[in-house]
Amino acid sequence: MTELRKDGMRKQKLQTRPTTEFLRFNGAVEHDSTIDAWMKRHAGALGSIAHQWFDIMRKCGDEVRELVHDGCPVACLGDAPFGYVNVFTSHVNVGFFHGAALPDPARLLQGTGKHMRHVKLQPATPTNAAALTKLIDAAYSDIKARVENG
C-alpha cells in the first residue's frame, strides 16, 4: 500500500499484523530421564519443592512433554514450553514462558520481562498452593490456545 507524501513522492506504508510466533523447543519427550537425574541432584528441601511443582506441570494433560533447557526442567505442550522449575541457593523458581499474559489475582508472579514471569518459593515461607496451581493451569491453557490458534 502506498500513499503520496507532501513533496509528491510515494511513501511505502507498512502493513502490520499481530505476531503469532512463540518459542519452540526440539527434543521434548513424554518423560525425560534427564529430568529424573536433575531431581536427584537437587535433593533436600529445595529439590522437594521443585519436584512437587514440576509434577503438577507434568499432569496438566496428555500432550505434556518435557526436556531440560538451560539447565532446568521445562514442561511443554508438544514442543511449545509453558513452565519450568529451577533451584537456586536459597529458593526455587516456578516459571512461566508467557507469564506476563497470565491472570494473577494473588499477585504471585515476579519479573519484568516482556513475556516471562516466575514465582519464587522458599522452604520456610508458606506457599499459596491454590493460586500457584491456578497459574500452572492457566499457563497450560494459554499455550494450548496459542498452539491451536496459530
Side-chain angles (χ1 to χ4, degrees):
M1 178 183 279
T2 61
E3 62 183 47
L4 291 178
R5 297 186 327 197
K6 287 183 181 178
D7 63 4
M9 300 295 290
R10 292 185 184 270
K11 73 176 181 179
Q12 194 73 10
K13 193 172 188 179
L14 296 177
Q15 292 182 340
T16 60
R17 58 182 176 228
T19 180
T20 56
E21 295 295 316
F22 50 91
L23 191 60
R24 302 276 191 162
F25 290 146
N26 289 327
V29 296
E30 190 169 339
H31 188 91
D32 188 344
S33 62
T34 60
I35 291 177
D36 296 332
W38 186 96
M39 293 292 178
K40 286 180 184 176
R41 286 192 312 276
H42 294 88
L46 294 173
S48 178
I49 292 169
H51 195 141
Q52 171 190 356
W53 292 105
F54 196 74
D55 275 349
I56 291 171
M57 289 180 195
R58 281 175 161 162
K59 294 174 184 171
C60 282
D62 293 338
E63 309 93 350
V64 173
R65 300 296 178 260
E66 60 191 46
L67 56 89
V68 173
H69 178 76
D70 283 346
C72 63
V74 175
C76 303
L77 174 74
D79 64 353
F82 67 91
Y84 69 92
V85 296
N86 205 358
V87 172
F88 295 91
T89 305
S90 62
H91 71 278
V92 172
N93 278 357
V94 177
F96 305 97
F97 287 84
H98 297 279
L102 298 178
D104 182 25
R107 303 183 63 89
L108 298 179
L109 292 171
Q110 298 180 21
T112 58
K114 185 175 181 180
H115 301 286
M116 296 182 76
R117 296 288 187 276
H118 65 275
V119 177
K120 189 181 288 189
L121 304 175
Q122 296 175 312
T125 305
T127 301
N128 185 338
L132 183 49
T133 300
K134 285 182 183 178
L135 279 172
I136 292 170
D137 291 341
Y140 177 76
S141 295
D142 176 73
I143 199 63
K144 192 167 191 163
R146 289 173 191 269
V147 168
E148 289 173 357
N149 298 321

